[in-house]
Structure formats: structure tokens, C-alpha cells
Amino acid sequence: MAKGSQLKQLKTALSQAGLTPQPQAGKKRKRAAPTERDKEKKAAKLKEIQQKLNPFDVKVTKLKHDVGGRKIVGTTGRPAASKQAGIEQRKKTLLKEFEEKDRSGGIVDRRFGENDPTMTPEERMLERFTRERQRASKGVSFNLEDEDELTHYGQSLSKLDDFDNVGLGLDDDDEDGGQMDRRTVEKSHFGGFDDEDEEDEDEPARKKSKAEVMAEVIAKSKEHKFLRQTQQEEDENLRHELDQELDSIRSLLFAPPPAEPAADASTSASVPAQAVPVPDDDKEYDQYVRELALDRRAKPKDRTKTEEELALEEKEALEKAERRRLKRMRGEDTDSEDEAKGKRKQARQRGGDDLEDDFNEEGAWGGLGAGLGDDAAVSGSEDEGSDEEDQDEEGSTDGSEDSGDEDSDEEDGSVAHEFESAEEDSGEEDGEDGESEALVQSSRKRRTKSKSKPAKKELPYTFPCPDTHDEFLEIVEDIDDEDIPTVVKRIRALHHPSLAEENKFKLQRLNTVLIEHILYITSPPTPRFTLLSSLLPHLGALTKTYPIQSAEAFVDKLNLMHKNLKRGLSKGATDPEAKTWPGLPELSLLRVIGQLWPTSDMNHAVISPARLLMGSYLGLCRVRSLQDIASGLFLCSLFMHYERLSKRFVPEAINFLVNSLLHLAPHSYQDASSLPGNFPLQDFRTPLTRPLALDAKKAKKLSLGKPDLGQCLSENELDEQAKVDLLGLSLDLLSKFADMYKGLDGFVELYNPIQDIVGSVKIDSLPADLTTRVHSLRDTLSRLLKFALQARRPLRLQAHKPIPIPTYVPKFEHTTSNYLRNRDPDHERNEAAKLRAQYKQERKGAIRELRKDARFLAAEQQKKQKEKDREYNERMKRVFGSLESERAEEKAMEREKMKEKRRAGRK
């Protein structure tokens, strides 16, 4: 192709192909019209020239080795042409399928009997004719007449004579003497021929107005309505007559049989006449009718009230009841007693949002008996919905309170000073030296309970919300323990957060007050665990409502307990006067924490410090008496409760249980070096722990029971029964921890020494119940250790593909042909490799085609969306244009009106 510009190249190519008209020098000749073959040749040449002029439409693949005479397919390609061809093909196939995707087309042959081979053609035609007649007469399916009657303007044609009222006037009495009137001649004959403007007076030429037409329509509507009402009244009267006659028909149906002849009158006189038995269907129908007649109509109920509305109603009810109580106390007139009793009995039912519904704990734990009360006391606390003045006066009291001394002064003096008052001016609060600080600081004396029970007073209905524990003690000073939960409930109801803005902060302080009161009521010598169980639901509700403030209050108490622990250890861990082990208040607080907060969290703001503190107690404190063992066993049971879900390993608990077993049970070990395992044995065979062992003679006659925590921590001298109970609890906890830790990898190394220690216990010196428990523990440990050993597998390296040894031998090829290079001598394996390669190639091609189809469909959808948007914009432009034009006309009219007003004002 010639060099130069595109235009020059095009002209040269056209001239060389002979497509340019040649100039004629001589005379013009008439040329023949080109044939179809000439047109095809010309189009082919033009297409070839176009392709040569645009080299970018051709894609050439360069061959590595060009062999002459060999034709290879695919060396040259036209991407644009192939792409356009693919788009056109998709428009013909894929686009059609996409447009008809949700359409259901086709012709369904619904002719009757067409697909029924059992019907003859005559039967099909007959049935089709019948269906056609039924379809034609569908509109008269409610006609009450037997035959169809033809009408004309509402009159029956059968009753209309052919020559009636036709305007012929053939009667002899006619005034016109048999002549036709002028109207008949003008309308029916060719008479008149007058102008159209000359109309008869009887037939006005003007068209009816809209008002006249509407009046006529209204009149006809009223007429039809009146006719319908008349017909309805007639039908109602007829129905009423039928109802009246139905009773007589029913009496005939159920009438007694006719009397027998006179001969049998004497015998039949004594037998009463029996009615015809009514069928069961009729009885059932009559029963349904009576039920429908006697059924009450549904009454609308009040809407469900919100929490704020319920709180406001409860507050108003309590205030009203308090005003009535004060009136009764002052002797003023109040409502009648019957009315008051009726109002008190109408108590609101307890719903799902009430308290004491989520403080359930599965099973008994720890085996500490009556200590802090079982879980049933928490979930089954007192019913707070009813008023306390209607309850019985016999309230359940704690056993430790009934065993109190009559002399109140002696009881006040026996209370430890660290639980009653705090040293105000102590310069060593934050240090490790000094006396233990009280968990509850109260300036009031503990209220004692006398044996002579005073007369029960009426409980007030309104109470102030206490800010400190002393204020709360003033409120509940003369109130029985069974009424204190009701007081707390009324305080919460009167100071609901939705009633006032500052009530939220009052309830937060009440939460702290309840925590301090729990520590106060569980302090010796008369701990009240029943009251603790009844206050726990209220503390749980406040903790759930204000978790951050409640967590801060609990953490403050835990910090104070840790500070007291450091002060006790600084005096000496083995000093009998040093307060190291937790007492009843501390243990009660730890138990409450485990019930209110989730113990399975990895890190928790309250549970994590509590776990650390309990581990510190078990790991740092030294055993000096049975009270210390009882406190430690309770901490171990708390760990069992805390870790029942997470199953985290607590070595302090296992170590303490092993030490308790060695302190209490008789065994053959004399020194710590002879003991198996690596347990810390600081207190083994010390002068303080030697008296803690069981006395074989005294213990042989005793029976195993559950230890009482309050008694174990309150009394200074404990008998052999307490030792037997604590030893049984130690064995039970060892069994439970073994069952919980059986999935640990080091279970065998942990419990093999424990099995040896349990096996060395002298069961001849133990009671029968303890002997049975020791045998049970031995069997359990041997079975769990056997299973753990069977489940163990030796350590193995990580499984991986073997690494071959590197070889440096060169690879020789016996053939040099390229088509034989990848040929496998195994024919089947070679065919499988070919199939895999073909499958891989086809898969890639299918994926490529699917992607092209997806792009094509996306482009088509985008085009449709753009077209919709364009139509919408044009439509909105037209609407806005019409609105703007109307608004412009309106403004022009307003301006004209203003001009007219100005002109009128000038005149």
C-alpha cells in the first residue's frame, strides 16, 4: 500500500481496485446496470480495503519458529469483530431469554373433552353445546320464574296487544272522528315538511340541563330504594310468618304417639307417654344454638401499660394507703373496712418483669448444709405482691436467732468490734500494719431479738430512700425481718427512676446500702441468712439496672477485704490473733457476687478480683484451727461454683483440699518428705494442726452429716462431729473437682499423688459413712485415671508431605520431538491427562463466557435503567414546567388584580 496520509492511501487503494469511475474522453455511452455479482465483488473489495486501512483491528500472534508451508489457525485474529459478533449473538439469544424470563406464554387448549380419549366426537360436541348454553344463561341464574318472559320497557310482550296504543284512533268514541292526529302524521308519515325550527309545543327542542338530569337520576334512585325497602319488608313479614308456623311443625314432629284403645287404658294409664327421640345431629345443633345465644360478647380490654405508668400507679397506691393508715392511727374517718379489704385483695398479678425469677441455681453445691441457705431460699423468697398486714404473724426465723441469749447486753458485748464500728482516726489505713478495718461502719447497736414477741404493728406504706446504712437501720429498726423485703420493695416503687430525675441516683445509693446491710446481717454471733436470701432479688434487680455503680461498690468491698488480708499477714500468718481467713460477712459477699455476676468470663470487673482474692486466701493463709478449715472448704466450694462452666484449673483449691484431708484423716505419713507429689505442706504436723486430727474412739460412733457454716465459724470449740462433717466435705469436693478436671492434659500427673494419699487413709478408724465415701472416691479416681491414660497418645511430628532427597543426576531425553515430550508411556494415564487438560480448558472457556454474559446483561440492565431515568426526568420536567407556567399565570393575574386595586384606590 502506498505511503502517505490516510486519504491518499484510500484513493490509491480504490483506484487500484478499479472502484473509481474512469474519465471518458470520447462520446458518452449508456452503461448497463450492475448485476448482483458485481455488487458483491465491490462490497468485498471495499471491506478488504477498510481492513487494510485499520491495522489495529487485526491482532497477530508472533510465532517462535515460522515454518514455511504450514498453516496455523489462530495466528491472526480480529478482537473487535469477534467481540461485536459475540454481542450480536447474545442479543439474539441471551437477551431474548432475559426479556422473557418472567413471562408465561403459550396457548392452552381448554376445549372441553379435547384431551379425553374416552369421549366420542358426538359427546364432545353435545357437552360443549351444553356448556355454551349454560354460559349464555348465566345472567338469569337467580330468576324465580320457570320460563323466560320477554319484556319491552318493563311491560310483558305476552300481555301487550299488537294494536294497543299505536295512535291510530280507530275507536268510534274518538273525538277526532277516526282521523290521525298531527303528531302521528308528522313523525310517522311524510306530513308537515315544515322548517325544523317550528317545533311542537308538547316536545321542547332544547336539551336538558345538568341539574335536570341529576334531579331525574336522584328521583329514580329514590324510587328504586323505596321499592327495595318495600320488598324487604314483605320478605321480612313472610319470614316472620314462617318462623311462627315452625313451632307448630316442630310440635307435630315431636308429638307423643296416639293413645292406645280403651281396652288397654287401664294398663297404659300408669305409663307416661314418651316423646320421639331426637336425633344426635339435632341435639348437637340445638346445643350450638344455645351456646351462641348464651355466649358473652367480647369486651375491649385496657391497653398494656408502660413501665412508667405502672410505677406511677404503684406509687400513688402506696401513698394513698399510707394516708389511710395515718388516718386510722389518728382515729379519723376512713373508708369502710369491707371496702378496704376488697381493695387490698385486688393485688396485681405477678408478671414476667417482676423480681425473683432469674435467681435459680442448678442443684445444691458445696455441701455446707444450712450455711448460707440453699438455692431454693433465693428463688422462693417471700411474695412481695401482697400487703404485709394481711400476712400471718407467724414468720419463719433463723435458727441461730432463736438460740440467742436473753441478755441483750451480753450479746452486744460478744459482737466483734471489727464488725460493729471502725476506728475513725487510723493513720495506717492504707498500710499493711494496724488492725483490720470493718467492712460495715455503723454507729448503731445491733438489734437483738427477745423471746417475748411484741404485738405486730402495721407496716407503713411510704419510706424515704436511705443514703447511708445508718439511715436504713433507722428505717428498719422496729420492723421484723420478714417485712424488710417489703420495705425495700416499697422504697424502690416510691423512688422509681421514671418518677423523678434524682431517683436514679437514690437507687444507686440504695444498691450500696443493700450490700452493706448484707454484710451487717451476716456478721456473728447471730447471722440472718433467711433475710439475706430475701434481699438478694432486690439487689439483683438494682445490679442489673445500674451495673457500673454496683460493680464499683463490690470492688470497693473486695479491696477492703484484700487490705485486711495484708494487715493480718503482716502480724503473722500463724498468729492465732491475726485475722487472715474470711469470716461470715466476707464469705457471704463472695457468695452473692457469684450469684449476681457471670463467673465464666475470661476477664470481668468484679469476678476477676474476687477469684484473685479467694486464691490469695487459700494460698497465703495458714491453717490454725477448725474454723480456718471450714472457711477454706467454703472457698473451695465457691471456686467449684465459679468454674462450673469455664472449668479453669485452680491449683490453690486442690492444694487446700489435700492439706485438709491430711489434717483431719488418720494416715500413715509421718513427715512431709514421705508424701507423694509436690503439694505445698507448710502446716503438716505442726503443733497447731496436730489436735485437728480425728479421735478414732470418739469418731467411730458418729454419723456423717453436712457441716453448718454459721456454727463452725461462730463457735470457738468444735467437737468431733464437726471434724467428721468437714472430712466428708473434703472427700466430696475432691471427687467433684476430679470429675470437672478429667479433661485436662495433666490430669494423670495431678491426681496420681492424690490417689496415693486417699489410699493411705486408715479406714478402720473412720465411721461407716466416711468409709463408704472413701471407697467411692478411690473407685472414682481409679476409673478416671484409667480412662485418662487410655485417651493419651504419644507426641508425633506434624504431618506433612515427605521431602525427597535431592538428586544431581542429569535427565536425558531419548526423543527430541515436541509432541512426544509430554507423552506418558502409560496409555490410560496419558488419556486421563488429556481429559484433565481438556476439562481445564473447557472450564476456563465456560467461566470466560459466563463473565461475558454477566457483563452483557449488566450493560443491558444499565441501558434500561438509564432509559427509565431519562423518561422519568422528562416527565418531571414536563410536570414542573406546567406547574411553573400555572404559577406564572397565577402571579400575572395577581399583579393585574393589584394594579386594578391601585387604580380603584386612585379613583
Side-chain angles (χ1 to χ4, degrees), residues 231-242:
Q231 184 66 29
Q232 188 176 2
E233 290 178 359
E234 293 178 358
D235 295 343
E236 188 68 27
N237 294 333
L238 180 60
R239 193 180 299 110
H240 185 67
E241 292 177 1
L242 290 176

Side-chain angles (χ1 to χ4, degrees), residues 10 44-55 57:
L10 177 60
K45 290 180 180 179
L46 288 172
K47 187 175 182 181
E48 184 180 359
I49 292 171
Q50 182 185 3
Q51 292 175 356
K52 288 181 180 179
L53 286 174
N54 191 5
D57 286 345

Side-chain angles (χ1 to χ4, degrees), residues 403-422:
S403 61
D405 195 358
E406 295 182 3
D407 192 353
S408 60
D409 295 333
E410 292 181 2
E411 287 186 355
D412 291 338
S414 63
V415 179
H417 63 278
E418 60 267 22
F419 297 102
E420 290 296 322
S421 59

Side-chain angles (χ1 to χ4, degrees), residues 713-732:
L713 296 181
S714 299
E715 296 182 3
N716 294 327
E717 297 294 334
L718 297 178
D719 53 359
E720 294 296 323
Q721 181 63 45
K723 297 180 182 179
V724 172
D725 297 341
L726 292 177
L727 180 58
L729 180 58
S730 302
L731 296 173
D732 189 21

Side-chain angles (χ1 to χ4, degrees), residues 651-834:
E652 293 87 357
I654 303 297
N655 294 336
F656 186 83
L657 291 176
V658 172
N659 280 275
S660 300
L661 181 62
L662 293 174
H663 292 330
L664 296 174
H667 51 79
S668 57
Y669 300 111
Q670 297 299 328
D671 53 356
S673 60
S674 61
L675 286 170
N678 297 318
F679 300 104
L681 303 170
Q682 299 175 354
D683 300 323
F684 184 71
R685 297 291 185 180
T686 61
L688 294 176
T689 57
R690 286 181 184 276
L692 303 181
L694 282 175
D695 190 354
K697 297 181 180 179
K698 297 180 180 179
K700 194 70 175 177
K701 303 176 183 179
L702 300 177
S703 60
L704 181 62
K706 291 184 178 182
D708 189 351
L709 178 66
Q711 181 181 1
C712 290
L713 296 181
S714 299
E715 296 182 3
N716 294 327
E717 297 294 334
L718 297 178
D719 53 359
E720 294 296 323
Q721 181 63 45
K723 297 180 182 179
V724 172
D725 297 341
L726 292 177
L727 180 58
L729 180 58
S730 302
L731 296 173
D732 189 21
L733 288 176
L734 277 175
S735 176
K736 290 183 178 180
F737 273 106
D739 185 66
M740 187 170 68
Y741 292 150
K742 62 185 178 183
L744 291 178
D745 295 335
F747 178 75
V748 177
E749 288 76 14
L750 177 65
Y751 265 86
N752 260 332
I754 297 177
Q755 185 184 20
D756 297 339
I757 293 174
V758 174
S760 65
V761 175
K762 299 177 181 179
I763 58 177
D764 298 336
S765 304
L766 299 179
D769 297 339
L770 273 180
T771 304
T772 305
R773 185 162 293 187
V774 170
H775 284 302
S776 176
L777 179 59
R778 290 176 180 175
D779 296 340
T780 301
L781 293 180
S782 61
R783 185 176 66 256
L784 291 177
L785 289 172
K786 177 183 176 182
F787 292 155
L789 287 173
Q790 291 177 356
R792 280 193 169 183
R793 295 290 180 269
L795 294 178
R796 295 184 301 175
L797 291 175
Q798 185 178 3
H800 58 83
K801 187 176 180 180
I803 302 174
I805 301 174
T807 177
Y808 301 101
V809 179
K811 181 180 180 182
F812 296 97
E813 293 183 359
H814 300 283
T815 59
T816 58
S817 300
N818 291 330
Y819 69 94
L820 291 176
R821 180 174 297 173
N822 295 327
R823 183 177 178 86
D824 197 332
D826 190 353
H827 178 71
E828 293 183 358
R829 193 160 61 235
N830 190 24
E831 293 296 328
K834 287 182 180 179

Side-chain angles (χ1 to χ4, degrees), residues 192-258:
F193 298 101
D194 295 334
D195 295 334
E196 294 181 359
D197 296 336
E198 297 177 1
E199 296 291 340
D200 193 3
E201 297 177 357
D202 299 337
E203 194 170 324
R206 70 180 182 82
K207 188 179 179 180
K208 292 182 179 180
S209 64
K210 185 176 180 181
E212 292 175 351
V213 173
M214 293 305 297
E216 186 177 352
V217 171
I218 292 172
K220 288 183 179 180
S221 176
K222 289 183 178 179
E223 182 181 359
H224 289 307
K225 183 178 181 181
F226 177 73
L227 291 176
R228 285 197 304 270
Q229 290 179 354
T230 306
Q231 184 66 29
Q232 188 176 2
E233 290 178 359
E234 293 178 358
D235 295 343
E236 188 68 27
N237 294 333
L238 180 60
R239 193 180 299 110
H240 185 67
E241 292 177 1
L242 290 176
D243 291 343
Q244 295 294 332
E245 294 176 359
L246 183 63
D247 295 336
S248 60
I249 295 174
R250 287 176 63 87
S251 62
L252 292 175
L253 289 175
F254 302 110

